[in-house]
């Protein structure tokens, strides 16, 4: 199993590189709810703040989505 910090970094890197992908939007909607209208620096900063707070199962799910 990969550690949480590495998973979080990989999720953030993927979303930063693939802002228009279905996987990126799926992760954002899971973590931030439906309150975002496209992925920009603001949304990525929100993810940086929220991802460390989610439980391990949800983090694993988000990681699986981007892999």
């Amino acid at each position: 199993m990969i550690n949480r910090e590495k998973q979080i970094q990989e999720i953030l890197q993927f979303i930063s590189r693939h802002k228009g992908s279905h996987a990126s939007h799926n992760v954002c909607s899971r973590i931030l709810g439906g309150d975002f209208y496209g992925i920009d620096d603001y949304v990525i900063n929100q993810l940086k703040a929220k991802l460390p707070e989610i439980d391990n199962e949800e983090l694993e799910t988000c990681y699986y989505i981007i892999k």
Side-chain angles (χ1 to χ4, degrees):
M1 182 172 157
I2 227 167
N3 76 37
R4 283 183 63 86
E5 188 59 37
K6 185 167 171 47
Q7 286 179 321
I8 290 168
Q9 289 306 314
E10 286 190 38
I11 291 167
L12 291 169
Q13 287 171 359
F14 179 90
I15 292 171
S16 293
R17 287 191 312 263
H18 307 285
K19 293 177 179 164
S21 77
H22 181 71
S24 293
H25 283 266
N26 191 331
V27 170
C28 287
S29 66
R30 289 183 75 94
I31 304 304
L32 303 176
D35 296 339
F36 71 97
Y37 300 99
I39 299 171
D40 57 14
D41 289 340
Y42 177 74
V43 168
I44 292 170
N45 284 332
Q46 285 184 305
L47 284 173
K48 282 181 187 176
K50 297 250 184 200
L51 282 171
E53 300 171 358
I54 65 175
D55 64 44
N56 287 336
E57 187 175 314
E58 186 67 16
L59 185 62
E60 287 286 332
T61 300
C62 292
Y63 186 75
Y64 177 78
I65 289 168
I66 63 115
K67 289 295 178 181

